[in-house]
Amino acid sequence: GTTPIGSAPLVSGVAGFSISNLTVGTHNISASYGGDLNFTGSVSPALNQVVIGPDFSVAVSALPGSITVGQSGSSTVTVTSIYSFNAAVTLKCSAGLPSGASCVFNPPSPTPAANGKVTSALTIATANTTPPGSYTITIGGTSGTLEHDYPSLALSVADFKISAPSTASPASISAGQSATATITGSSLYGFAGAVALTCSVSPAPSLAPTCSLNPASISPSASGATSTLTVNTTGPTASLTRPVLRHGPRPLYALLLP
């Protein structure tokens, strides 16, 4: 159906009309004339009138780089007032967070000044169990019935991996000998930093083998960084003791001189 919004007199074939109380949204407005002795009645084509009310937009700055698992990164969220919007906007990470990660906004519900801007500090924290990888996070803002998203915040979670051969070289050694193996550290999703290496031998009986790494710290890269693992064993030893004779003559030691 139709809803009358007003009327205006026809003056020299022209009627003027204004209105200022249309609600926010889209309205199809038509003018109709019933006709008189000089003009026949008619209805104009509909005018599509969009009324825009106070609103806001959300923008997010890029994270500075990869976040290592177990650490956090920061970004800035900017809320901009449109058409004198001036109300609190509740922020959230609405989609895309990897498992174990969380979002914190400070403040969580900023209020922009009319036709102004306000910022909120976003901190994304990861856990040691967060899977390394590339993610796209959606940042959402809600105020009453208004809701807007920023759908493309890129997040890269970095880590490293250590690999080693299944056996040392040589695979079998005798007591007193040693064996070596090459340990490789590789960067995942932009990991950058030093990794301290340690080794241990298990089980550890008496005279157990010992191990060492050279270097003991590496900086993994995409192509890999290596360290040499050396396993050392201890050779058998024996001790000589003088026998104790309970009966019979004492032993005779002879020395022949030239």
Side-chain angles (χ1 to χ4, degrees):
T2 60
T3 301
I5 58 175
S7 62
L10 188 64
V11 179
S12 300
V14 177
F17 176 77
S18 65
I19 187 172
S20 60
N21 61 350
L22 290 176
T23 58
V24 174
T26 301
H27 303 271
N28 295 318
I29 300 175
S30 297
S32 63
Y33 179 60
D36 57 20
L37 296 176
N38 298 314
F39 300 97
T40 58
S42 63
V43 178
S44 72
L47 170 68
N48 190 355
Q49 178 65 55
V50 178
V51 178
I52 301 175
D55 205 345
F56 68 91
S57 65
V58 176
V60 185
S61 65
L63 291 165
S66 297
I67 300 175
T68 302
V69 292
Q71 298 183 1
S72 60
S74 299
S75 176
T76 299
V77 180
T78 302
V79 179
T80 301
S81 166
I82 301 173
Y83 293 106
S84 300
F85 176 87
N86 178 224
V89 176
T90 300
L91 300 172
K92 65 178 180 179
C93 288
S94 55
L97 270 181
S99 63
S102 62
C103 280
V104 176
F105 297 91
N106 185 25
S109 300
T111 301
N115 300 317
K117 298 180 179 181
V118 66
T119 61
S120 176
L122 165 62
T123 300
I124 297 179
T126 63
N128 291 331
T129 56
T130 299
S134 296
Y135 304 91
T136 300
I137 301 174
T138 298
I139 308 299
T142 304
S143 181
T145 59
L146 299 174
E147 184 172 355
H148 298 289
D149 289 333
Y150 183 87
S152 55
L153 177 63
L155 168 65
S156 182
V157 180
D159 202 353
F160 66 89
K161 68 176 181 179
I162 299 295
S163 59
S166 58
T167 59
S169 178
S172 178
I173 58 176
S174 299
Q177 296 181 333
S178 62
T180 62
T182 299
I183 309 301
T184 302
S186 301
S187 169
L188 301 176
Y189 297 96
F191 175 87
V195 176
L197 301 175
T198 60
C199 64
S200 61
V201 176
S202 179
S206 175
L207 299 179
T210 61
C211 64
S212 61
L213 290 151
N214 184 28
S217 177
I218 58 175
S219 297
S221 64
S223 58
T226 61
S227 176
T228 300
L229 167 67
T230 301
V231 178
N232 295 302
T233 62
T234 303
T237 60
S239 60
L240 179 63
T241 59
R242 180 178 177 178
V244 177
L245 301 178
R246 301 290 183 182
H247 303 283
R250 295 179 179 273
L252 175 64
Y253 297 95
L255 180 64
L256 177 63
L257 297 175

